[in-house]
């Protein structure tokens, strides 16, 4: 059964910008959820990488994963379908209201997670670092590691090898959202520095509807 609750938004260096960004996602949440509800039907590689992450969690007898920055729950539904107990967390109340699937849905800040140390067996950050500057990724990865049990898992999906995408209109509404394309080597270096062992990675070319290559990294908590 899906449940919903709210956590407090932690303080961040660019708090006003974060609040404005969250408000933009609130405004487009319902349209976004409808548009991307079945996105994995046309992205079998991405679906397969999520399934492979779920198998990794199961392989170490893990049961619970956090989908950090879950949006309306596309990845969370895939992970739940693979037999995991999922906590979906997003800063946007609109996205959490639009989320669907068998998960516990929480409003909260992924830079200050409302979870106890070592309380989940894995963290999935499915395109949730697209607004996080590279120099802030280390602290974010450390927070993911804090809530992950020993030998737990982390999955990152993000855009790479292209300039920043400056989105100024979405679903007929004006927005100001910049999507950062992180360098895979830099991300992996920061993961190692944050206490992770790299396990596997992949990069696929952009499809017809995308403007950047897509990167996927699985790492394990040391």
């Amino acid at each position: 059964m899906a449940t919903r609750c709210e956590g407090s938004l932690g303080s961040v260096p660019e708090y006003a910008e974060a609040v404005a960004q969250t408000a933009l996602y609130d405004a487009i949440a319902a349209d976004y959820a409808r548009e991307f509800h079945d996105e994995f039907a046309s992205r079998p590689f991405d679906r397969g990488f999520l399934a492979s992450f779920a198998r990794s969690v199961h392989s170490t007898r893990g049961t619970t994963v956090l989908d950090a920055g879950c949006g309306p729950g596309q990845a969370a539904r895939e992970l739940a379908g693979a037999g995991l107990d999922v906590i979906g967390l997003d800063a946007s109340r609109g996205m959490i209201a639009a989320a669907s699937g068998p998960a516990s849905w929480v409003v909260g800040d992924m830079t200050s997670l409302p979870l106890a140390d070592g309380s989940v067996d894995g963290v999935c950050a499915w395109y949730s670092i697209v607004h996080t500057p590279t120099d802030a990724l280390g602290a974010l990865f450390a927070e993911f590691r804090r809530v992950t049990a020993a030998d737990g898992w982390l999955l990152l999906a993000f855009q790479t090898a292209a300039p920043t995408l400056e989105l100024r209109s979405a679903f007929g509404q004006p927005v100001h959202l910049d999507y950062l394309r992180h360098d895979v080597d830099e991300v992996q270096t920061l993961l190692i520095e944050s206490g992770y062992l790299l396990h596997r990675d992949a990069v696929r070319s952009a499809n017809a509807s995308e403007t950047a290559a897509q990167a996927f990294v699985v790492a394990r908590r040391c």
Side-chain angles (χ1 to χ4, degrees):
M1 177 180 295
T3 60
R4 286 175 170 77
C5 65
E6 294 193 4
S8 60
L9 290 175
S11 111
V12 294
E14 298 84 14
Y15 181 73
E17 181 180 348
V19 169
Q21 185 180 94
T22 300
L24 290 173
Y25 276 110
D26 286 343
I28 65 173
D31 290 324
Y32 185 102
R34 283 191 293 271
E35 178 72 17
F36 295 106
H37 183 79
D38 295 320
E39 68 171 321
F40 291 110
S42 61
R43 296 180 179 180
F45 183 90
D46 302 17
R47 172 171 272 163
F49 220 90
L50 278 165
S52 133
F53 171 70
R55 287 193 296 272
S56 293
V57 176
H58 285 306
S59 74
T60 51
R61 301 181 184 276
T63 58
T64 303
V65 295
L66 169 69
D67 184 2
C70 64
Q74 310 100 299
R77 288 191 294 274
E78 294 291 316
L79 296 172
L84 294 170
D85 297 324
V86 183
I87 303 166
L89 176 142
D90 203 282
S92 166
R93 288 172 173 78
M95 286 292 184
I96 291 298
S100 62
S104 298
W105 305 106
V106 180
V107 177
D109 178 4
M110 69 179 182
T111 69
S112 182
L113 293 166
L115 298 173
D117 294 1
S119 57
V120 298
D121 302 303
V123 173
C124 169
W126 195 255
Y127 294 96
S128 354
I129 65 171
V130 294
H131 301 305
T132 305
T134 301
D135 61 7
L137 286 176
L140 180 62
F141 295 159
E143 179 66 355
F144 290 165
R145 185 181 184 277
R146 179 187 68 79
V147 303
T148 304
D151 294 324
W153 298 87
L154 173 65
L155 167 61
L156 302 176
F158 55 95
Q159 300 168 340
T160 191
T164 297
L165 173 64
E166 299 177 349
L167 191 65
R168 298 299 177 257
S169 175
F171 303 106
Q173 299 193 49
V175 298
H176 193 289
L177 294 168
D178 292 341
Y179 292 84
L180 307 176
R181 277 66 185 272
H182 293 294
D183 179 80
V184 175
D185 289 340
E186 287 183 347
V187 168
Q188 292 182 328
T189 296
L190 289 166
L191 285 171
I192 293 168
E193 292 173 352
S194 301
Y196 286 94
L197 291 172
L198 300 178
H199 195 269
R200 60 189 181 276
D201 63 70
V203 176
R204 69 162 174 81
S205 301
N207 65 28
S209 66
E210 297 168 339
T211 58
Q214 312 297 309
F216 308 89
V217 178
V218 173
R220 194 167 181 184
R221 185 192 190 279
C222 299

